[in-house]
Amino acid sequence: MSHAISVAVVLYGLWLLLSGHYVPLLLGLGVLSVLVVLFIATRMDVVDKEGYPVHLGPRALLYWSWLAWEIIKANLAVTRHILSPRLSISPTVVRVKATQKSELGKVIYANSITLTPGTVSIDIDGPYISVHALTRDFAADLRTGDMDRRVTDFVNEA
Amino acid sequence: MTLSLVDLLSWACLLGGGFFGIVGGIGLVRLPDLFTRFHAAGITDTLCTALIAIGLMLQSDSWLVSVKLLLILAFLFFTSPTSTHALAKAALHGKLKPLRYKGKEGASSST
Amino acid sequence: MFIAAALAILVTMALALTRALLGPTVYDRILAVNMFGTKTVLIIAVYGFLTGRPDFLDIALVYALINFISTIAVLKFFEYGDLGHAGTTRRKRGAR
């Protein structure tokens, strides 16, 4: 229930932000559409800790800044590979183990893998994620498990 | 016309975003198979988008515009891995197999 | 400077279109079209700044939503041959 109220507040804030017209008709329509969205979301069973992970809180900023730096580094590496005249790639598929217990953690880990260019998670099979890497180096980097540890730290100490 | 630091920074971001976009496009045409092309699309989905959005944010004169740009950026960052993963999984369930072990050093010990 | 960014995005879109036309498999084409869509979002935003009308950002936001939904819908269509398919078996959720 507290989740539903929090979702409603966030949605209405978004409505006010994007609408920019504060007349009774539009404010009322906003309330109406927030209620409809809440109804659909409740019916889809996504208004809970997993669908709306507000408990992760400010540590998300810490993780995102680390992830942003990783993304920049990986982008530069992939750019070098693409622009090199010989196209020095060695595509490979590896399976890495995700140590996160919750599905939310696994989703965050898999999405982080995909967001970092050079590695794309292509399949999830129990605790294992199949990852396609552009070169062996990217695969080796992933296998050190650094990102996995950080995601586990980020998610599990809620 | 005087150049402020913010202007310089935003122009650097815009040009950098354009550069990475073109690199991603080149990669999309140049790379040999679907699964390697994901990585090229990944470049344009992450750094190119982020740099251009940040460059525009620095140029905007109202905070509302910046917030909208931030929303666009956040939305693209949350959806692009989802659609990439959906595409990869669909391709894998189709008949496509990724090119593997194409390197010259022979197969590594990946499982 | 906005013009330079817009031109760069246009070149990227042309390259994505090349891959969409060449693409041996349907998945290559979907990937290219998805990328084309993301670049469209960016070029709408840049065009809004170029003409001094930041209202264009609303259109860019909506286009980003439509692009994502359409990619997923096309993928679902190719995977199941039916947009109304419920997907794989529904997982029962434990009380949490």
Side-chain angles (χ1 to χ4, degrees):
Chain A
M1 193 60 202
S2 63
H3 271 98
I5 292 169
S6 152
V7 170
V9 169
V10 170
L11 283 178
Y12 201 62
L14 196 64
W15 174 280
L16 292 180
L17 189 71
L18 292 181
S19 138
H21 293 279
Y22 306 109
V23 294
L25 174 68
L26 286 176
L27 292 181
L29 284 178
V31 172
L32 204 66
S33 47
V34 166
L35 286 180
V36 170
V37 168
L38 259 191
F39 170 69
I40 296 175
T42 318
R43 228 175 60 126
M44 281 170 72
D45 204 12
V46 293
V47 187
D48 55 12
K49 224 175 149 183
E50 186 180 306
Y52 183 64
V54 74
H55 62 281
L56 294 178
R59 276 178 305 122
L61 290 179
L62 205 68
Y63 177 70
W64 284 343
S65 43
W66 176 79
L67 186 65
W69 178 236
E70 289 295 305
I71 287 175
I72 291 171
K73 278 194 296 185
N75 263 302
L76 293 176
V78 174
T79 303
R80 218 166 22 244
H81 283 296
I82 287 178
L83 290 184
S84 75
R86 288 191 306 109
L87 208 60
S88 54
I89 58 169
S90 48
T92 166
V93 177
V94 290
R95 272 155 71 91
V96 292
K97 194 168 190 304
T99 54
Q100 294 81 27
K101 287 179 202 70
S102 64
E103 301 212 329
L104 178 66
K106 279 180 203 156
V107 168
I108 291 176
Y109 184 36
N111 270 2
S112 303
I113 290 174
T114 308
L115 263 182
T116 333
T119 47
V120 170
S121 53
I122 52 178
D123 206 357
I124 294 188
D125 170 26
Y128 292 99
I129 303 178
S130 299
V131 178
H132 184 274
L134 187 61
T135 70
R136 299 250 165 70
D137 293 341
F138 287 113
D141 275 355
L142 196 63
R143 289 193 142 196
T144 59
D146 187 30
M147 183 183 269
D148 181 50
R149 257 196 315 281
R150 281 175 192 271
V151 176
T152 307
D153 286 349
F154 166 49
V155 173
N156 276 8
E157 297 166 5
Chain B
M1 182 181 158
T2 54
L3 277 180
S4 68
L5 190 65
V6 174
D7 273 346
L8 272 181
L9 209 61
S10 97
W11 289 0
C13 281
L14 284 173
L15 286 183
F19 169 73
F20 280 108
I22 293 176
V23 167
I26 292 172
L28 196 69
V29 174
R30 228 186 139 197
L31 288 171
D33 87 318
L34 173 71
F35 290 87
T36 50
R37 280 174 205 143
F38 282 139
H39 306 298
I43 287 188
T44 66
D45 277 351
T46 55
L47 202 54
C48 164
T49 311
L51 281 178
I52 287 184
I54 291 171
L56 291 183
M57 257 186 249
L58 291 174
Q59 287 284 341
S60 72
D61 37 14
S62 79
W63 63 272
L64 192 63
V65 171
S66 300
V67 169
K68 276 180 190 167
L69 277 168
L70 201 64
L71 270 178
I72 293 178
L73 185 60
F75 192 79
L76 286 179
F77 261 73
F78 276 100
T79 54
S80 88
T82 310
S83 48
T84 304
H85 176 72
L87 191 53
K89 201 159 179 175
L92 207 63
H93 285 188
K95 58 197 182 307
L96 276 185
K97 290 277 172 287
L99 285 177
R100 288 199 209 199
Y101 311 135
K102 216 170 139 275
K104 291 143 204 87
E105 306 96 338
S108 74
S109 62
S110 56
T111 49
Chain C
M1 201 46 55
F2 291 135
I3 293 181
L7 281 179
I9 297 173
L10 280 177
V11 171
T12 312
M13 288 167 90
L15 288 168
L17 213 53
T18 312
R19 177 47 71 195
L21 291 174
L22 289 177
T25 68
V26 67
Y27 303 107
D28 289 283
R29 294 177 211 270
I30 297 175
L31 180 69
V33 169
N34 184 28
M35 183 165 140
F36 190 83
T38 351
K39 294 307 112 180
T40 311
V41 174
L42 285 184
I43 206 162
I44 292 173
V46 173
Y47 185 75
F49 275 80
L50 195 62
T51 53
R53 293 167 63 190
D55 310 340
F56 270 62
L57 285 180
D58 292 325
I59 305 175
L61 196 56
V62 171
Y63 198 90
L65 292 160
I66 295 176
N67 183 45
F68 173 62
I69 301 288
S70 61
T71 304
I72 297 294
V74 168
L75 278 176
K76 190 172 176 183
F77 186 73
F78 275 106
E79 185 126 6
Y80 300 111
D82 176 13
L83 284 180
H85 196 281
T88 47
T89 51
R90 271 183 79 96
R91 185 174 46 88
K92 287 272 181 274
R93 259 167 209 272
R96 218 177 340 145

